[in-house]
């Protein structure tokens, strides 16, 4: 009996926000081949940052207040990922 399975190749893409928590600069790793949109909000809903990028993006939050921020990112026109970022 041949138990070989044929199907689409599954590729894990490493994506995330690091270092987290941060005391200043942090990197967003998109894990996407094309463009990625990122928008960052504070807990009051104020937009702190928004940009379209490819690859990795370094964000300087050194002048932001300490607290929790919501990082929304994904490829344009598709549901993306949401991360919580803690600023020390």
């Amino acid at each position: 009996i041949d138990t070989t399975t044929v199907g689409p190749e599954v590729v894990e893409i490493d994506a995330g926000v690091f270092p987290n928590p941060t005391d200043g600069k942090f990197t967003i790793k998109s894990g996407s081949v094309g463009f990625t949109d990122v928008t960052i909000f504070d807990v009051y809903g104020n937009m702190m940052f928004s940009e379209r990028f490819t690859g990795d993006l370094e964000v300087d939050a050194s002048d932001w207040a300490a607290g929790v921020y919501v990082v929304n990112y994904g490829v344009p026109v598709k549901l993306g990922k949401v991360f919580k970022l803690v600023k020390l």
Side-chain angles (χ1 to χ4, degrees), residues 2 37 49 53 68 80 84:
D2 184 5
D37 291 331
F49 183 85
F53 68 101
V68 177
K84 177 176 68 173

Side-chain angles (χ1 to χ4, degrees), residues 13-16 29-30 71-75 78-83:
I13 298 176
D14 185 26
K29 186 171 184 178
S30 74
V71 180
N72 294 302
Y73 76 92
V75 295
K78 294 217 179 203
L79 183 61
K81 295 184 180 272
V82 177
F83 287 93

Side-chain angles (χ1 to χ4, degrees), residues 6-74:
V6 177
E9 180 181 355
V10 176
V11 177
E12 291 291 326
I13 298 176
D14 185 26
V17 177
F18 58 91
N20 190 7
T22 184
D23 61 357
K25 293 182 180 179
F26 63 95
T27 300
I28 300 172
K29 186 171 184 178
S30 74
S32 174
V33 176
F35 287 108
T36 301
D37 291 331
V38 63
T39 308
I40 303 173
F41 297 94
D42 65 13
V43 293
Y44 302 107
N46 299 312
M47 186 183 340
M48 303 298 293
F49 183 85
S50 182
E51 190 166 319
R52 178 171 282 179
F53 68 101
T54 58
D56 296 347
L57 175 68
E58 185 176 84
V59 179
D60 185 1
S62 57
D63 62 340
W64 298 0
V68 177
Y69 294 85
V70 177
V71 180
N72 294 302
Y73 76 92

